Amino acid sequence: VDGDVVKIFITPYRTTINDKDLDFSQGDYNVETVLAIGVKSEKDLDHALESHGKILHDATVASISLSAPSNLGGIEWTDASASSYSEMLYSLAEKVVAGRGDIDEQIANAFLTGIVAATDRFSNSKTSSNVMTIAAQLMAAGANQQLIATKLEEEHQITEKPQKIEKAKEVSSEKITKKDADEPKKEEKSDDGGAGALV
């Protein structure tokens, strides 16, 4: 491996080869399963899958959605009562890792971040008893709820500042426009030396 390139050295026995003896192609992808999360239609798929449509035909396609099913493949899982994809994927991961060990700290942090963001730090209608149970299990697995809440708050403040600046610009432009509208309009002097013009 040389950077992003894999160099293959061929040493022929008692013969010579050149570039005309070689044929290069991408070959087939060894993809068994495609897990489509939040994909509504084939247009939303990665362009790599679009350009190699054979993947979708040869592989098992499983689709996970919060609202309407995407009808992409043979396996559809839709749960409108779930708070987020993180909640659904945690339920799936819990079954996959059962007997193989616990979900590690990094994965627990990722799942809890999705849940905390979707529930607006457990303050909106998506917060259910199931969400709270999962959050507790993720914290027991090592997720750092304080760090997640702090980072999400920082992100919220960063995205909020440009909006406040834009609103301030709009308000000041409205004041200028209103001020101009409220001032009595003065009639311009005419070209006849000002006779009969108001100043």
Side-chain angles (χ1 to χ4, degrees):
V1 178
D2 183 9
D4 292 336
V5 177
V6 176
K7 291 185 176 179
I8 300 170
F9 297 92
I10 302 170
T11 309
Y13 181 68
R14 291 185 183 178
T15 188
T16 58
I17 59 171
N18 60 37
D19 57 342
K20 293 175 185 169
D21 297 318
L22 303 172
D23 183 29
F24 298 96
S25 66
Q26 289 183 323
D28 290 332
Y29 284 81
N30 295 323
V31 177
E32 292 181 15
T33 306
V34 174
L35 182 60
I37 302 167
V39 177
K40 293 184 172 73
S41 69
E42 278 195 41
K43 289 185 286 182
D44 299 330
L45 287 172
D46 191 306
H47 293 301
L49 289 179
E50 274 183 15
S51 57
H52 301 284
K54 191 176 175 186
I55 293 175
L56 290 179
H57 296 292
D58 295 347
T60 301
V61 180
S63 178
I64 297 176
S65 58
L66 288 170
S67 53
S70 62
N71 300 316
L72 273 180
I75 302 170
E76 290 279 347
W77 180 23
T78 305
D79 186 356
S81 66
S83 65
S84 59
Y85 290 111
S86 293
E87 180 184 339
M88 293 176 75
L89 289 171
Y90 172 75
S91 302
L92 180 63
E94 198 177 32
K95 304 230 181 339
V96 171
V97 300
R100 297 185 197 172
D102 292 332
I103 290 172
D104 67 26
E105 185 179 318
Q106 188 176 3
I107 295 171
N109 270 320
F111 283 149
L112 189 59
T113 300
I115 290 170
V116 171
T119 59
D120 198 17
R121 290 180 292 263
F122 306 110
S123 63
N124 64 22
S125 60
K126 293 180 180 178
T127 308
S128 65
S129 58
N130 189 47
V131 167
M132 298 307 284
T133 301
I134 290 172
Q137 290 168 345
L138 290 169
M139 289 173 68
N144 187 337
Q145 189 268 337
Q146 296 296 326
L147 177 66
I148 291 166
T150 302
K151 291 293 182 187
L152 286 173
E153 180 62 30
E154 286 172 11
E155 181 67 26
H156 180 69
Q157 289 172 352
I158 289 168
T159 54
E160 205 173 60
K161 283 181 184 177
Q163 291 173 352
K164 284 184 179 178
I165 292 168
E166 284 300 317
K167 284 183 181 175
K169 285 180 183 175
E170 287 173 15
V171 168
S172 64
S173 90
E174 282 176 17
K175 285 181 181 175
I176 290 168
T177 308
K178 189 174 181 186
K179 183 181 172 189
D180 292 346
D182 290 346
E183 283 183 7
K185 291 185 179 176
K186 296 179 180 177
E187 291 186 29
E188 293 180 4
K189 291 183 179 178
S190 64
D191 289 337
D192 62 357
L198 294 173
V199 258

